Amino acid sequence: MSTTTPAAPTAPVTAPTSALNAARTAATAARVLRQLRHDPRTIALLILVPCLMLVLLRYVFDVSPRTFDNIGASLLGIFPLITMFLVTSIATLRERTSGTLERLLAMPLGKADLIAGYALAFGGLAIVQSALATGLAVWLLGLDVTGSAWLLLLVALLDALLGTALGLFVSAFAASEFQAVQFMPAVIFPQLLLCGLFTARSNMHPVLEAISDVLPMSYAVDGMNEVLHHTDMTATFVRDVSIVAGCAVLVLTLGAATLRRRTA
């Protein structure tokens, strides 16, 4: 009579949790901020470069301050988006290529925790960046806006968060920091050309105007222009900032889908 030897019990595999956990999210954000603290060049890029670009722009149009008023508000939203895109894509790529994300994903740490932690860390930096740039433009460089400076700050902050989300997303498709930078012409430059900064979108070729209607930077510029020309919060402004915020959330969700282990 034959007997069957029972199989040895196997150790349970701990799967990453899917629910968002505040403690894990905060721990991830704190780790990212500790790493950035030791990178002064990145901090300078985040904090100083947008301010320096605004100062340069103001004195490029020194004899025509109205020109600075017309485009300064738009660039107040565009500069944070670009710098946050660059810093986030490169910083996240470093964690991918160094194996940090690989190790984190092997722990009971949900994708939502990781993405929310990165967004929280870079979002905190975005608040500082946007506040400094907005304060500099309005109170020191004399940017003349009809609406509230707080609304300018809101749009600038949402633009910076959108840049963070785009950076997190595209980092999944780059194999090196150089490739991450190469995504800028593909992701940022078309939006910059079609957002209405250089000419009204209604004056573009109909095909280009239709493309601009689905690009989030177009609504960021439109939102800034609403603050520039209206004293109160308009329905168009609410629509514009809602679209920018919605695009940021959508891209963050897509970024979470790219967080996966690369080895078995």
Side-chain angles (χ1 to χ4, degrees), residues 165-176:
L166 289 171
L168 287 170
F169 177 64
V170 304
S171 68
F173 306 100
S176 66

Side-chain angles (χ1 to χ4, degrees), residues 171-252:
S171 68
F173 306 100
S176 66
E177 294 180 17
F178 179 67
Q179 288 185 7
V181 175
Q182 286 179 315
F183 273 103
M184 176 171 282
V187 176
I188 300 298
F189 286 0
Q191 296 192 68
L192 186 61
L193 293 174
L194 299 178
C195 68
L197 177 64
F198 302 104
T199 184
R201 292 192 289 129
S202 59
N203 295 334
M204 298 178 184
H205 188 280
V207 173
L208 296 181
E209 183 181 1
I211 295 174
S212 73
D213 287 340
V214 299
L215 298 177
M217 191 183 291
S218 300
Y219 297 95
V221 171
D222 288 350
M224 287 295 192
N225 287 332
E226 286 294 305
V227 181
L228 189 65
H229 297 108
H230 297 87
T231 56
D232 299 322
M233 184 186 299
T234 64
T236 302
F237 175 84
V238 174
R239 180 207 66 182
D240 293 336
V241 297
S242 298
I243 290 175
V244 175
C247 288
V249 172
L250 174 61
V251 177
L252 281 175

Side-chain angles (χ1 to χ4, degrees), residues 8-75:
T10 58
V13 178
T14 303
T17 57
S18 57
L20 185 65
N21 180 277
R24 292 192 295 262
T25 298
T28 301
R31 180 183 59 81
V32 173
L33 290 174
R34 283 196 301 269
Q35 292 177 335
L36 289 175
R37 186 183 61 184
H38 299 293
D39 191 350
R41 288 177 297 181
T42 298
I43 295 176
L45 177 63
L46 281 171
I47 305 301
L48 298 180
V49 169
C51 294
L52 292 176
M53 291 298 99
L54 286 171
V55 172
L56 178 63
L57 183 70
R58 168 63 182 85
Y59 291 103
V60 164
F61 298 108
D62 191 36
V63 298
S64 180
R66 291 302 305 169
T67 303
F68 176 71
D69 292 337
N70 290 332
I71 67 174
S74 298
L75 291 177

Side-chain angles (χ1 to χ4, degrees), residues 57 96 111 138 164 178 198 255:
L57 183 70
R96 290 181 185 270
K111 292 181 179 181
V138 174
T164 297
F178 179 67
F198 302 104

